[in-house]
Amino acid sequence: AAGVIQSPRHLIKEKRETATLKCYPIPRHDTVYWYQQGPGQDPQFLISFYEKMQSDKGSIPDRFSAQQFSDYHSELNMSSLELGDSALYFCASSLDLRPTEAFFGQGTRLTVV
Amino acid sequence: AQSVTQPDIHITVSEGASLELRCNYSYGATPYLFWYVQSPGQGLQLLLKYFSGDTLVQGIKGFEAEFKRSQSSFNLRKPSVHWSDAAEYFCAVKKAAGNKLTFGGGTRVLVKP
């Protein structure tokens, strides 16, 4: 069965650079979520989209922005990167806002040097 | 705001022994409850979930969890642990409305031969 695809799997950037993470949800899923997991931390909710509109917002820095496109894939744009942005970034998808489970991708490991 | 507490940061168990991971939540109403497992460098895999109905839920890989409203708990159990169960386990809660998951701090399980 198709799963959530995230690219790239690994990314190394320098401070003050920009990074773009991509997420391709499971086919027919219309809701996408982004989570950030720092080293040794639990995942923290950043932002979610339902039908291409932002549906919920968590602890996402102003330097970050995200959107969901017409094909339901999502991109997380991160600017002015800081060392503290180094983390594993997960995308998850689900089918509408009913309380079904969210399926997680394998994550993108971002390292800022 | 909802919160999730996993009191045990690390648990070491012998292969073949039973395992119980504790999870307590704080929320005004009955939330939707989840257990996820994360192997090193991997994404989050859903083990089981509780929305309503029977308070004992069965999941994948031989795991089960019991929802106890009076104790605000949703503890995860497995009768006989396998070496492949070594991983980090996250309890998560979600409100009925909205799609944000709030995770506990995680419990790392080590399995001794």
Side-chain angles (χ1 to χ4, degrees):
Chain A
V4 177
I5 305 297
Q6 290 187 246
S7 70
R9 290 292 310 278
H10 301 274
L11 189 59
I12 300 175
K13 290 285 187 178
E14 295 187 355
K15 283 194 305 183
R16 293 180 289 277
E17 284 193 317
T18 297
T20 297
L21 310 185
K22 297 185 178 182
C23 170
Y24 297 87
I26 291 172
R28 293 189 297 279
H29 279 193
D30 49 20
T31 305
V32 170
Y33 320 72
W34 286 97
Y35 288 83
Q36 177 192 55
Q37 185 179 28
Q41 304 294 313
D42 56 285
Q44 295 291 316
F45 174 75
L46 292 178
I47 196 167
S48 63
F49 293 86
Y50 167 63
E51 282 291 344
K52 293 152 280 184
M53 299 289 290
Q54 181 181 308
S55 56
D56 204 350
K57 191 172 181 180
S59 51
I60 184 168
D62 292 340
R63 299 177 289 108
F64 294 7
S65 65
Q67 58 181 325
Q68 186 180 31
F69 294 85
S70 57
D71 64 351
Y72 294 102
H73 94 273
S74 179
E75 295 183 3
L76 176 66
N77 297 292
M78 311 158 69
S79 62
S80 303
L81 287 169
E82 302 173 357
L83 296 178
D85 297 327
S86 297
L88 192 56
Y89 290 84
F90 287 112
C91 173
S93 75
S94 69
L95 182 59
D96 74 31
L97 294 181
R98 291 176 301 177
T100 57
E101 66 266 29
F103 294 85
F104 282 79
Q106 293 210 303
T108 294
R109 183 167 297 282
L110 172 67
T111 303
V112 181
V113 298
Chain B
Q2 69 250 35
S3 67
V4 183
T5 303
Q6 293 180 244
D8 305 304
I9 298 175
H10 292 101
I11 285 183
T12 300
V13 61
S14 297
E15 192 168 12
S18 64
L19 174 68
E20 181 167 13
L21 304 183
R22 295 183 290 166
C23 173
N24 294 96
Y25 67 90
S26 172
Y27 182 56
T30 300
Y32 298 117
L33 296 159
F34 306 81
W35 274 100
Y36 285 87
V37 61
Q38 183 180 31
S39 297
Q42 299 299 309
L44 294 157
Q45 182 182 21
L46 180 69
L47 288 175
L48 46 78
K49 61 187 182 290
Y50 173 78
F51 296 151
S52 63
D54 192 348
T55 56
L56 184 63
V57 293
Q58 301 297 320
I60 62 171
K61 303 186 178 187
F63 285 92
E64 65 178 25
E66 186 171 13
F67 169 63
K68 292 186 177 179
R69 184 190 304 275
S70 61
Q71 298 177 18
S72 297
S73 69
F74 188 56
N75 295 348
L76 181 73
R77 297 193 292 258
K78 184 168 184 176
S80 178
V81 168
H82 187 262
W83 65 265
S84 61
D85 293 323
E88 185 142 26
Y89 293 79
F90 290 97
C91 181
V93 64
K94 176 183 173 298
K95 288 193 283 190
N99 48 28
K100 180 179 79 170
L101 280 170
T102 298
F103 287 88
T107 298
R108 184 169 297 280
V109 173
L110 302 176
V111 180
K112 293 190 301 184

